[in-house]
Amino acid sequence: MQGTGTNVTDYFSPALTPDELHSISNLGLAHLGDGVYELLVRTYLCTKGGCTNRELHRATVRYVSAPAQAKVVEKLMPFLTEEEKAVYRRGRNTRVGGIPQNATPGEYHAATGLECLMGYLYLKGEKTRINELFDRVAADE
């Protein structure tokens, strides 16, 4: 696989330098952050228990949809640092291709910003911070 030239050997616990992080495109961060956020949601749902496979899939889709992620951003915004807000805005303002039918452009851009933030924090090695933020979302359930 071709990479960005970083020397990551532990893909479960990357810790990129600021220069390496800034070399990754907004859409690259959002792409990774989408997977990080979905893994958090899936882990939360599985450990919460009481769901069949079909229910797990439906619940996951409900949590990771653009409208749901846009609501998450509203809840998290007061708790974000200035750096995190800047990363979120960087992702939110990215030009994206198509917007899904189930989302408004504003919701989709907010979701892209959240995913960009999750990807950024993950690559920075900030798992504790990711968990802190996700706990704020899960606590409302």
Side-chain angles (χ1 to χ4, degrees), residues 60-102:
T60 300
V61 169
R62 231 181 5 259
Y63 281 95
V64 300
S65 70
Q69 288 180 347
K71 288 177 185 168
V72 164
V73 169
E74 290 176 20
K75 293 176 188 174
L76 292 181
M77 196 56 70
F79 304 102
L80 298 181
T81 66
E82 289 306 312
E83 176 188 8
E84 291 166 348
K85 287 177 183 176
V87 172
Y88 163 77
R89 285 190 300 270
R90 178 179 152 190
R92 180 198 65 201
N93 295 333
T94 299
R95 287 184 61 115
V96 294
I99 295 173
Q101 289 181 338
N102 69 333

Side-chain angles (χ1 to χ4, degrees), residues 29-50:
L29 291 174
H31 175 73
L32 180 59
D34 178 50
V36 171
Y37 190 74
E38 185 163 341
L39 182 59
L40 291 168
V41 167
R42 287 175 179 239
T43 302
Y44 169 75
L45 291 172
C46 285
T47 58
K48 191 169 121 176

Side-chain angles (χ1 to χ4, degrees), residues 110-131:
T112 303
L114 175 66
E115 292 167 351
C116 189
L117 174 61
M118 290 292 157
Y120 178 85
L121 291 173
Y122 176 77
L123 288 175
K124 194 175 173 189
E126 296 283 342
K127 289 190 284 188
T128 300
R129 182 62 176 152
I130 291 170
N131 281 316

